[in-house]
């Protein structure tokens, strides 16, 4: 934790990383932030005691730079950083669809780049961050990246060829569950429950199911079968889900998310 780390484009995900690092013991003096708006930079300085700097200053001073801008803003950011980043710096990208080779081509030769796809539960320290090494990143660089992102949840290393699939499952994954909870809440209202009660019932069911999946080690089919009594309520509901093609729709949706990640990587905004 003697290195200086800069979080660039510090929005919600960037701030979650920043706060997680501080909780994990990183001193504020070792952390830099950049933000598009001056008032946002001042807010981060006031809240966390970190120094707010320009992108160019961050590139000159930091040992590790974490790029948390949106994919469509990455090109402009790299143009700002390229004159100031030497090959002994580690660059971590958290932008969906942007490959390590794209970033490497814009920076000094042999600059180590690590690609990370976090998801929004990093905001509550329950995130999943999927990590892939670029062509010049070492095991030490990967371990350093895991140290940073491990403060806000779990991490998983995958080959970069699997990043688009991981983006579809994990990066976008929370939205699918929110969508499902929204639909089930509406169903609860249709069945006669007040919205608040329907919401509470579904959220707790989701939390309980997730904990059982995580802690029991059982296959989801086995856990589902434990709830599904012969000729009971659950099997009647599952029959309707199958009749309406919910399983096929989910597969198609994740394929669409993967394909969009590939489009972003190719520069199609």
């Amino acid at each position: 934790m003697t290195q200086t780390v800069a979080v660039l484009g510090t929005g919600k995900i960037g701030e979650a990383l920043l706060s997680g690092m501080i909780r994990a013991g990183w001193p504020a003096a070792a952390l830099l932030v950049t933000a598009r708006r001056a008032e946002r930079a001042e807010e981060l300085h006031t809240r966390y005691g970190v120094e707010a700097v320009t992108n160019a200053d961050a590139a000159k001073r930091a040992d590790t730079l974490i790029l948390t801008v949106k994919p469509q803003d990455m090109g402009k950011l790299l143009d700002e950083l390229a004159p100031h980043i030497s090959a002994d710096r580690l660059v971590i990208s958290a932008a969906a669809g942007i490959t390590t080779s794209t970033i490497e081509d814009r920076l000094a030769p042999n600059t180590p780049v690590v690609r990370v796809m976090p998801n929004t539960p990093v905001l509550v320290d329950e995130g999943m961050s999927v990590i892939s090494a670029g062509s010049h990143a070492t095991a030490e660089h990967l371990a350093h990246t895991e140290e940073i992102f491990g403060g806000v949840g779990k991490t998983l290393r995958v080959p970069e060829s699997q990043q688009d699939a991981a983006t579809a499952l994990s990066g976008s994954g929370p939205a699918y569950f929110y969508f499902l909870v929204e639909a089930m809440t509406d169903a609860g209202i249709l069945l006669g429950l007040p919205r608040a009660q329907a919401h509470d019932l579904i959220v707790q069911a989701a939390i309980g199911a997730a904990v059982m999946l995580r802690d029991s080690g059982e296959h989801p089919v086995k856990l589902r079968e434990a709830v599904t009594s012969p000729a009971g309520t659950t099997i009647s509901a599952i029959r309707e889900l199958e009749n309406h093609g919910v399983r096929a729709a989910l597969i198609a949706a994740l394929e669409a998310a993967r394909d969009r990640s590939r489009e972003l990587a190719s520069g199609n905004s």
Side-chain angles (χ1 to χ4, degrees):
M1 296 188 185
T2 58
Q3 290 194 345
T4 299
V5 176
V7 181
L8 282 68
T10 313
K12 288 185 177 181
I13 296 295
E15 184 176 357
L17 290 174
L18 179 67
S19 63
M21 292 175 70
I22 290 173
R23 288 193 301 276
W26 289 78
L31 301 172
L32 305 173
V33 297
T34 78
R36 179 178 297 179
R37 296 178 291 106
E39 57 268 31
R40 171 62 172 167
E42 180 60 28
E43 176 187 343
L44 293 166
H45 169 69
T46 301
R47 185 174 297 166
Y48 299 104
V50 296
E51 185 179 356
V53 298
T54 66
N55 290 328
D57 285 340
K60 294 173 186 177
R61 295 171 55 186
D63 302 291
T64 299
L65 295 98
I66 307 174
L67 315 184
T68 63
V69 297
K70 295 179 180 178
Q72 56 267 35
D73 296 328
M74 182 63 77
K76 181 179 178 181
L77 177 60
L78 291 174
D79 287 341
E80 290 185 59
L81 299 178
H84 310 292
I85 295 182
S86 57
D88 61 345
R89 312 293 173 83
L90 170 61
V91 176
I92 301 173
S93 170
I98 305 297
T99 64
T100 56
S101 62
T102 296
I103 298 173
E104 290 166 352
D105 290 345
R106 303 283 290 272
L107 301 178
N110 301 317
T111 299
V113 178
V114 174
R115 178 177 171 183
V116 183
M117 186 67 249
N119 59 16
T120 54
V122 298
L123 297 168
V124 292
D125 293 347
E126 290 291 348
M128 172 57 80
S129 298
V130 184
I131 297 173
S132 300
S135 56
H136 308 297
T138 66
E140 183 179 356
H141 293 133
L142 287 173
H144 182 52
T145 304
E146 289 173 332
E147 180 184 18
I148 293 171
F149 284 82
V152 289
K154 293 187 176 182
T155 63
L156 177 69
R157 296 187 193 184
V158 302
E160 190 169 10
S161 61
Q162 296 177 0
Q163 272 284 358
D164 293 321
T167 297
L169 266 72
S170 179
S172 300
Y176 314 144
F177 290 99
Y178 302 146
F179 184 86
L180 181 60
V181 168
E182 179 186 0
M184 292 177 68
T185 300
D186 287 343
I189 295 169
L190 179 66
L191 296 174
L193 291 171
R195 176 175 293 276
Q197 289 185 4
H199 175 82
D200 289 347
L201 288 169
I202 294 161
V203 169
Q204 187 57 41
I207 292 171
V211 171
M212 289 185 70
L213 279 167
R214 184 191 64 191
D215 295 349
S216 71
E218 298 285 0
H219 192 282
V221 169
K222 188 170 183 179
L223 292 174
R224 177 179 61 77
E225 287 177 344
V227 187
T228 310
S229 303
T233 58
T234 305
I235 192 61
S236 296
I238 289 173
R239 180 186 62 186
E240 289 303 314
L241 292 173
E242 295 289 7
N243 287 342
H244 286 81
V246 171
R247 187 188 303 267
L250 283 171
I251 293 172
L254 268 66
E255 287 179 329
R258 178 207 58 195
D259 294 345
R260 180 55 181 154
S261 182
R262 290 175 176 173
E263 289 176 0
L264 290 171
S266 66
N268 294 325
S269 59

